[in-house]
Amino acid sequence: MALPSSLVPSRFLTLTAHLVIVITIFWSRENNVLACLPLDYTQDQFKAADTELIVALSVTLGMFVVEFAGFFSGVSMFSNTQSLLSIGAHASASVALLFYLFEGWTCAVYWWIFALCR
């Protein structure tokens, strides 16, 4: 009986950690945009890469709204299978996005993280 009662707070914490990391990337996206560009880039290339990252982060935030709505409404809060999948996916995404943020990975890697962990 201890497992189901610990899934709800664990899921909430991993969701919140993932959300905080995405918001941090949104605030400090300039370094990640520069990692996507060659050493000699034009302003148009910078704007295109910045727009791509803004779109990716906006889609992620939109998906968070949907997931938190389902979680707080109780639709998926007490489903053990859903909770385990969500915890695994969001914990993996949090670790991967921390590497993305600190190591300065390219923008294409963000889409892979989004596709595999969403």
Side-chain angles (χ1 to χ4, degrees):
M1 196 66 155
L3 180 65
S5 65
S6 67
L7 287 179
V8 173
S10 299
R11 182 174 175 201
F12 176 74
L13 288 175
T14 55
L15 276 167
T16 305
H18 188 184
L19 178 64
V20 167
I21 293 167
V22 168
I23 291 171
T24 303
I25 293 172
F26 210 109
W27 282 343
S28 63
R29 69 181 185 275
E30 183 178 352
N31 292 333
N32 294 100
V33 170
L34 292 175
C36 299
L37 298 170
L39 292 176
D40 53 341
Y41 61 88
T42 64
Q43 191 64 25
D44 291 335
Q45 289 174 325
F46 182 85
K47 285 183 182 180
D50 190 39
T51 302
E52 178 187 354
L53 192 57
I54 288 174
V55 167
L57 293 168
S58 298
V59 169
T60 303
L61 291 174
M63 297 296 260
F64 269 115
V65 169
V66 171
E67 185 144 8
F68 271 115
F71 180 71
F72 287 129
S73 70
V75 173
S76 66
M77 184 182 289
F78 299 109
S79 171
N80 293 338
T81 306
Q82 172 66 29
S83 292
L84 285 173
L85 286 173
S86 179
I87 289 168
H90 288 288
S92 301
S94 296
V95 170
L97 286 177
L98 282 174
F99 277 107
Y100 175 81
L101 181 63
F102 292 135
E103 298 293 325
W105 290 348
T106 63
C107 294
V109 173
Y110 186 88
W111 288 110
W112 281 101
I113 295 169
F114 179 82
L116 294 175
C117 296
R118 207 22 118 165

